[in-house]
Amino acid sequence: MAERVVTMAIGPLVSMLKDKASSYLLDQYKVMEGMEEQHKILKRKLPAILDVITDVEEQAMAQREGAKAWLQELRTVAYVANEVFDEFKYEALRREAKKNGHYIKLGFDVIKLFPTHNRVAFRYKMGRKLCLILQAVEVLIAEMQVFGFKYQPQPPVSKEWRHTDYVSIDPQEIASRSRHEDKKNIIGILVDEASNADLTVVPVVAMGGLGKTTLAQLIYNDPEIQKHFQLLLWVCVSDTFDVNSLAKSIVEASPNKNVDTDKPPLDRLQKLVSGQRYLLVLDDVWDNKELRKWERLKVCLQHGGMGSAVLTTTRDKRVSEIMGADRAAYNLNALEDHFIKEIIEARAFSSKKEKPIELVEVVDEIVKRCCGSPLAATALGSVLCTKTSVKEWKAVSSGTSVCTDETGILPILKLSYNDLPAHMKQCFAFCAVFPKDYKINVEKLIQLWIANGFILEYKEDSPETFGKHIFDELVSRSFFLDLEESKDYSGYYSSTCKIHDLMHDIAMSVMEKECVVATMEPSEIEWLPDTARHLFLSCEEAERILNDSMQERSPAIQTLLCNSDVFSPLQHLSKYNTLHALKLCLGTESFLLKPKYLHHLRYLDLSESSIKALPEDISILYNLQVLDLSYCNYLDRLPRQMKYMTSLCHLYTHGCRNLKSMPPGLENLTKLQTLTVFVAGVPGPDCADVGELHGLNIGGRLELCQVENVEKAEAEVANLGGQLELQHLNLGDQLELRRVENVKKAEAKVANLGNKKDLRELTLRWTEVGDSKVLDKFEPHGGLQVLKIYKYGGKCMGMLQNMVEIHLSGCERLQVLFSCGTSFTFPKLKVLTLEHLLDFERWWEINEAQEEQIIFPLLEKLFIRHCGKLIALPEAPLLGEPSRGGNRLVCTPFSLLENLFIWYCGKLVPLREAPLVHESCSGGYRLVQSAFPALKVLALEDLGSFQKWDAAVEGEPILFPQLETLSVQKCPKLVDLPEAPKLSVLVIEDGKQEVFHFVDRYLSSLTNLTLRLEHRETTSEAECTSIVPVDSKEKWNQKSPLTVLELGCCNSFFGPGALEPWDYFVHLEKLEIDRCDVLVHWPENVFQSLVSLRTLLIRNCKNLTGYAQAPLEPLASERSQHPRGLESLCLRNCPSLVEMFNVPASLKKMGIYGCIKLESILGKQQGMAELVQVSSSNEAIMPAAVSELPSSPMNHFCPCLEYLCLFGCESLPAVLHLPLSLKTLEMDRCSSIQVLSCQLGGLQKPEATTSRSRSPIMPQPLAAATAPAAREHLLPPHLEYLTILNCAGMLGGTLRLPAPLKRLFIMGNSGLTSLECLSGEHPPSLESLWLERCSTLASLPNEPQVYRSLWSLEITGCPAIKKLPRCLQQQLGSIKRKWLDARYEVTEFKPLKPKTWKEIPRLVRERRQACRS
């Protein structure tokens, strides 16, 4: 059976042309005057083509070459004809605008903007174009008859949309079951490598569509993986394995994506992973067959912590062999047939209540054709969902090729595409314009479909509604996946989706060269063919690439989406006159485009641009439907003539914080549906009033700001909730109106925005708190769900009972939340936020109990902050009489509450009274109290009066059955903790010491524990008891799951009477000890127990000396190294610390700060005392003394150490035997350090030379060393960053710079005399060199290589440097950032530029004289 091909649906393109040719505007404004006859002929012939288009497309899919060629020609003609009728439409709109006075208002030469304004010239030009189109159409019709294309009625575009339920199948649930063993095996591999210092690479190999990405997602989201790795990163690689681009993508997938953005991507990546155990998923790698590319990336990735891993998915075994050279690839097998059948049936019968037996029997046939591919099963099931008869099902089965290794599942995916209606084919194929794995904004996608004419207008629905139906249908057929809804930082909601990479291949094969995607700089100019119509750019210097390409070519681009910043103007602007959709992020204040070349633009996205204003002539874009200006932070005004942009449907202005007002005449924009921000400016001729929104059918987010300027409360601009005056305005979703204080009272009555059915979210914002009563009787309509009010000055509010979310902030005079007479129940409320309500003290006006009413039956999140007068949460109604024991049966108002945050409410005493509930326990049930039966997160901070967990009788157990996270900070009167059997995170800050004794009840469930208790100068032995009571220890048969433990003032862990709980913490990975006064010696017994510890931080332990408590072996070097897996060590402000413990070989990062008595960072080194003694008697002998120190195992410490920082270690005399692995060394305020030395094992004998003589300088005998200049310091050979600050007399002599050094900062030093390169090594290539206040430094390296990459230079306050090296002088002009003393600036090298040959001798003489001076 011949394979059917996928082709672009041409029918919708011809239908679009037919609709344009029939537009009423053409006749109304007589733009086709003189061409009426040709117009009539064309309108008759287009339906004839549409009659046979279905037959032609079917023949083309059957690979009939004549039909394919005819379709290709028809597509070309249809594109040109559409462009011609776009010109006709624009001319009609231009004439309409002229009739309405736009020419006069523009006030400048309209001839430049409208070169076709002369009707005679327009008729002549367009008449010729129309004749050519008509000739081409007649040729096509003649060929149509020759080829024998037959009439087939086009299937009508259905208006009856299926109610698809595409969540009826949970692919993740089926995948979780079907890939359980695979997931378990790979997780085992990743976790078992925890102690492996080398990078683990696990390649997963399988053909496309077998579920590699889904399996990787299951692994990535598994709780064990989330807990095991400190950092998780996910990047889709897809087409091109470019090392720098991939490194950038990895960094941007992390929380630190905005850090060090000026540094090279590989450096940022190395810093990101350094010292952290990470998991990096590289999804869909299939262009990495060059070992050198992977090795370059791997060099950076190897800087991660122990146990770091890379999980890759690929279709290519060769890729897996290169990336996972040390490990066999994990081959993913085909899914078992019963899982395939389950997927097909779930899709095929998703909209049917029953499964007809006769159809079920056909499924077994279809299963065999899927060859174990879940994607193929999903695609076929989606196709079958639209079929109802056995005949149709069998036709699908027989028409489907069996998947093979050669074809994969593409034949099935092609069948799925070919089964789409024509208008859906066009919409999906357009998605080829996006890169693979791109998050597509659903709303923007639909708007792009409309802008390109893929969605025709119907009276029944708006194009947006029709587009949403198409999108939902494509989702139900599995063309889109990974639907997500997110909210940005301004509260604006958006939905995104992705396309499976194989589906993306289908779209690309349909569009051929019409869609071009460039995610990195193209290597050839031919990357942009003349056939290109839709272009996506996300590479740097996109404008330069476009300018170079458009100079040579003239493609009729309809869509240009540029995802990178544009800083310079686009050239050849006239070649962009076919654009329908444009997205640019302008990095300049000025507008870089010329609207006169953008007449056909329907979609303009300038979001996050730096522009300050839009030009007035942008108002000639009469076709523009979407204008996105969101987050243009510098934009302060919109074009005054915007009212003539009558096609505008969506205007996004949220995030434009400098916008001062709206332009007048918005009532003329009758198609406007979305307006996210309305800024009401000071009334005037250039400013719109809220009243101008009258009659508009707007959807969006409504925010009114500066409402304090409303002249009279009776104007009730904020009475947006439902007064009768504003029933003509229909707003939907979310709309933001700002500066509402500038709205006059008459306009306010006209624009009562709250009484509109479709308004979903309303925000009212005052700039300052003032007297106001406009919300006293506020009664919003039932459809309003979200209400946000900022700085309202009233004392109470009206009816808010139908809200789903309420946010009140800065309403400082608000005393009661709910007015007298309103209902006391909020049946829909899910989120309530109260912030900075300084006078707020009661929930309602009068304190009267509401019988049997649950106040917040659906409340899920409650945030209360800075409500200083609030005494208690809402009371619960009494449901029964007092029972025995004094307990009462009450109903909780928070039965569904999951998140409760209360901060800075100094008068809040207890939480609410908890009702009695039954809790199962051994042997039956017990009565316990639980006011918050669903609460998962509870955070309390700065509650000065809070002392009890409820208002009931003391001594009763209070239960939080679902609580997972509890944070209690600055609650000085709280002395106990509640029962919470599922608690996993506990944070106590500034708590009473007594709280410590309640922690043991959570140890079986806690994973993170932070205990920072109040500081006490003395600790009794009774207080120093173990966190695990003896009776509890005897019952324990498992280890604690605790992974993070932070202790502050917890002497009970280390005091003389403390027991040993540390054996239980075998999973502990991070330990922080703060202000532990009883800690005197290194707790080596503790270190031995913490076998999983990776990070250790000890700070503010004033009595810690560091010596071991028990006598040990004579030499520190003979001690055992604990904890063995430690990777990061930080010591801060331990003023008594003298000696370090034996740090383990696994250590990668070490920082020591403010340990003023520390004598050695390596433990008690043999020979250190002799070194100090020699140093004090004769500093000139120091080098020899260092060279003769005995070599011991301790001298070769920390072979993995990459980062070392020493700050304020004023007693440290030397830093010896720095490890070869060190890459960053920072020293600040360590003036006693006289020697830096590197481990010599593994290095050649250091034959140091000066940079000029290159003669060896060997360490001299003691007697021969007579001058301080003989002292030299050897740095580790891989060092990249060196910082020496505020170390006045430190390091006299010469400092040798290793080859990899990139950044060198030396400030405030009076010891160093020279900087030199290592002998026999390549000189370093510095990127940054800062030398400040180095009084004795006289000599710098004179090798040109040192300064060639320099972009930052500072040399100030260095009097001994008389002049800069000549090679540095020559580089000064190319250094971007430099700060130099004046005497160096005059020597800046300037190239010789003689005007004639005779001038050369004179210029040479002047240059020589300047160098000598």
Side-chain angles (χ1 to χ4, degrees), residues 504-743:
H504 191 276
D505 292 341
I506 297 291
M508 287 297 292
S509 68
V510 172
M511 297 301 286
E512 296 176 339
K513 294 184 178 180
E514 284 197 16
C515 286
V516 178
V517 178
T519 56
M520 55 183 294
E521 183 171 351
S523 56
E524 300 176 346
I525 200 70
E526 285 76 14
W527 72 278
L528 186 62
D530 286 331
T531 57
R533 289 196 167 267
H534 309 288
L535 177 58
F536 183 99
L537 280 173
S538 64
C539 44
E540 296 181 2
E541 298 186 21
E543 63 270 40
R544 177 182 60 79
I545 296 169
L546 276 173
N547 292 338
D548 293 345
S549 300
M550 296 298 280
Q551 183 175 359
E552 303 292 331
R553 299 182 176 275
S554 301
I557 298 176
Q558 288 182 206
T559 305
L560 174 56
L561 307 176
C562 189
N563 251 22
S564 51
D565 291 346
V566 173
F567 294 96
S568 57
L570 294 179
Q571 300 170 4
H572 319 294
L573 289 177
S574 61
K575 293 185 178 183
Y576 293 96
N577 62 354
T578 55
L579 271 177
H580 283 208
L582 175 62
K583 172 179 168 55
L584 288 179
C585 182
L586 301 176
T588 61
E589 292 185 356
S590 58
F591 190 71
L592 301 178
L593 304 170
K594 292 188 181 299
K596 71 177 181 178
Y597 297 120
L598 302 172
H599 288 173
H600 308 310
L601 201 64
R602 271 86 167 159
Y603 176 100
L604 179 57
D605 183 352
L606 300 174
S607 58
E608 300 186 34
S609 292
S610 300
I611 53 173
K612 294 188 69 175
L614 292 171
E616 283 300 319
D617 60 335
I618 202 173
S619 59
I620 70 172
L621 301 184
Y622 303 129
N623 281 305
L624 195 66
Q625 299 167 353
V626 178
L627 178 57
D628 189 348
L629 302 171
S630 59
Y631 304 109
C632 292
N633 291 327
Y634 305 104
L635 185 69
D636 57 15
R637 68 181 184 276
L638 297 174
R640 288 173 297 173
Q641 307 305 319
M642 205 168 186
K643 63 183 178 181
Y644 294 104
M645 302 169 71
T646 53
S647 297
L648 198 62
C649 300
H650 307 280
L651 176 58
Y652 299 93
T653 49
H654 57 281
C656 301
R657 57 191 181 192
N658 285 331
L659 197 59
K660 301 295 190 300
S661 64
M662 304 300 286
L666 291 184
E667 70 268 18
N668 297 319
L669 305 182
T670 55
K671 295 183 180 179
L672 197 63
Q673 302 171 35
T674 301
L675 176 60
T676 55
V677 173
F678 187 97
V679 183
V682 177
D686 295 331
C687 176
D689 298 320
V690 176
E692 296 184 21
L693 298 181
H694 171 75
L696 300 183
N697 185 21
I698 296 178
R701 186 179 61 184
L702 174 57
E703 178 173 345
L704 297 177
C705 300
Q706 299 182 217
V707 192
E708 68 271 14
N709 289 336
V710 178
E711 290 185 348
K712 301 288 183 181
E714 65 205 33
E716 297 186 2
V717 70
N719 192 2
L720 305 171
Q723 302 308 310
L724 298 176
E725 294 96 337
L726 294 188
Q727 293 183 356
H728 299 289
L729 183 61
N730 187 17
L731 298 174
D733 284 344
Q734 309 166 46
L735 173 64
E736 177 180 345
L737 300 187
R738 289 201 212 149
R739 298 178 182 264
V740 189
E741 69 272 16
N742 294 321
V743 179

Side-chain angles (χ1 to χ4, degrees), residues 490-510:
S490 74
Y492 195 81
Y493 290 90
S494 62
S495 297
T496 58
C497 66
K498 289 184 180 181
I499 304 175
H500 192 281
D501 56 343
L502 289 179
M503 287 294 194
H504 191 276
D505 292 341
I506 297 291
M508 287 297 292
S509 68
V510 172

Side-chain angles (χ1 to χ4, degrees), residues 448-478:
L448 288 170
W449 287 344
I450 297 171
N452 281 286
F454 300 155
I455 299 175
L456 302 179
E457 294 188 18
Y458 297 96
K459 293 181 180 179
E460 296 87 351
D461 285 317
S462 67
E464 289 79 8
T465 302
F466 199 77
K468 185 62 168 63
H469 286 319
I470 291 176
F471 177 80
D472 290 342
E473 182 71 16
L474 289 171
V475 170
S476 73
R477 292 171 180 248
S478 305

Side-chain angles (χ1 to χ4, degrees), residues 142 394 551 572 663 714 746 834 838 959 1006 1028 1254:
K394 288 189 174 181
Q551 183 175 359
H572 319 294
E714 65 205 33
L834 308 174
L838 303 185
L959 177 69
L1006 279 181
V1028 184
R1254 294 296 182 191

Side-chain angles (χ1 to χ4, degrees), residues 837-964:
L837 311 185
L838 303 185
D839 285 347
F840 178 60
E841 55 185 344
R842 299 193 310 275
W843 293 88
W844 37 75
E845 208 162 34
I846 55 174
N847 293 321
E848 54 182 40
Q850 299 296 304
E851 295 184 0
E852 301 188 10
Q853 279 192 332
I854 300 178
I855 303 171
F856 301 118
L858 298 182
L859 193 66
E860 297 174 358
K861 297 179 181 179
L862 176 58
F863 302 85
I864 304 176
R865 183 176 182 181
H866 286 291
C867 297
K869 294 185 178 181
L870 185 63
I871 298 175
L873 297 181
E875 296 180 359
L878 180 65
L879 295 185
E881 296 298 324
S883 61
R884 287 180 298 175
N887 293 317
R888 297 187 303 165
L889 291 175
V890 293
C891 181
T892 173
F894 306 111
S895 57
L896 297 180
L897 191 68
E898 294 184 356
N899 294 270
L900 174 59
F901 296 80
I902 307 177
W903 300 320
Y904 308 104
C905 298
K907 293 188 176 181
L908 190 73
V909 182
L911 296 181
R912 286 282 18 115
E913 181 173 349
L916 291 171
V917 297
H918 286 89
E919 186 212 15
S920 60
C921 60
S922 58
Y925 295 88
R926 64 169 178 164
L927 277 176
V928 295
Q929 292 182 304
S930 181
F932 304 95
L935 196 65
K936 292 183 178 180
V937 179
L938 174 59
L940 308 175
E941 182 175 350
D942 206 348
L943 307 184
S945 303
F946 183 74
Q947 55 186 333
K948 294 193 301 181
W949 291 97
D950 85 330
V953 180
E954 293 187 17
E956 294 287 345
I958 307 301
L959 177 69
F960 290 81
Q962 303 298 327
L963 192 64
E964 297 173 358

Side-chain angles (χ1 to χ4, degrees), residues 980-1225:
K982 295 185 179 180
L983 195 67
S984 59
V985 178
L986 175 61
V987 178
I988 306 291
E989 297 273 2
D990 293 325
K992 289 283 187 181
Q993 288 285 341
E994 291 80 1
V995 172
F996 175 83
H997 302 293
F998 292 90
V999 175
D1000 69 292
R1001 64 177 58 167
Y1002 310 123
L1003 284 182
S1004 61
S1005 61
L1006 279 181
T1007 58
N1008 291 58
L1009 173 60
T1010 298
L1011 278 178
R1012 303 187 192 281
L1013 306 181
E1014 63 178 355
H1015 185 257
R1016 294 181 181 176
E1017 290 297 327
T1018 59
T1019 303
S1020 65
E1021 188 163 326
E1023 290 175 339
C1024 296
T1025 56
S1026 169
I1027 193 172
V1028 184
V1030 176
D1031 58 344
S1032 182
K1033 285 184 180 180
E1034 294 174 353
K1035 299 175 184 177
W1036 273 39
N1037 56 11
Q1038 61 180 358
K1039 302 300 183 180
S1040 168
L1042 201 66
T1043 58
V1044 177
L1045 178 59
E1046 299 179 8
L1047 303 174
C1049 299
C1050 292
N1051 293 333
S1052 304
F1053 274 90
F1054 303 99
L1059 300 176
E1060 301 295 339
W1062 299 101
D1063 288 340
Y1064 295 99
F1065 302 132
V1066 293
H1067 299 294
L1068 193 66
E1069 297 180 1
K1070 179 182 178 182
L1071 173 62
E1072 179 178 329
I1073 304 172
D1074 184 18
R1075 292 188 297 171
C1076 183
D1077 295 343
V1078 299
L1079 187 63
V1080 177
H1081 309 285
W1082 288 119
E1084 295 191 350
N1085 54 340
V1086 172
F1087 292 164
Q1088 290 176 4
S1089 302
L1090 303 180
V1091 294
S1092 300
L1093 194 66
R1094 298 290 178 266
T1095 302
L1096 175 62
L1097 169 61
I1098 301 177
R1099 61 185 179 188
N1100 303 317
C1101 296
K1102 63 181 182 181
N1103 297 321
L1104 177 64
T1105 62
Y1107 298 114
Q1109 188 169 9
L1112 295 173
E1113 294 81 6
L1115 296 179
S1117 59
E1118 298 177 14
R1119 302 180 199 166
S1120 59
Q1121 296 178 343
H1122 292 292
R1124 291 192 176 278
L1126 192 68
E1127 296 177 354
S1128 177
L1129 172 64
C1130 180
L1131 303 174
R1132 287 185 179 273
N1133 302 323
C1134 298
S1136 303
L1137 184 64
V1138 176
E1139 179 191 15
M1140 288 284 294
F1141 64 93
N1142 257 13
V1143 293
S1146 58
L1147 198 67
K1148 291 191 173 184
K1149 183 176 182 180
M1150 179 161 64
I1152 305 176
Y1153 309 86
C1155 299
I1156 57 177
K1157 293 185 179 180
L1158 185 67
E1159 298 176 357
S1160 169
I1161 62 172
L1162 311 178
K1164 199 71 174 178
Q1165 281 190 305
Q1166 185 180 5
M1168 179 63 77
E1170 291 83 348
L1171 173 64
V1172 176
Q1173 185 176 2
V1174 169
S1175 174
S1176 61
S1177 60
N1178 185 354
E1179 82 170 350
I1181 306 178
M1182 180 77 74
V1186 172
S1187 65
E1188 296 182 6
L1189 282 177
S1191 179
S1192 69
M1194 192 63 197
N1195 290 340
H1196 300 282
F1197 87 119
C1198 300
C1200 300
L1201 192 68
E1202 297 180 354
Y1203 175 89
L1204 175 61
C1205 179
L1206 303 173
F1207 179 93
C1209 299
E1210 300 172 3
S1211 300
L1212 194 63
V1215 180
L1216 305 181
H1217 309 294
L1218 291 169
L1220 308 182
S1221 58
L1222 198 66
K1223 296 190 174 181
T1224 300
L1225 176 59

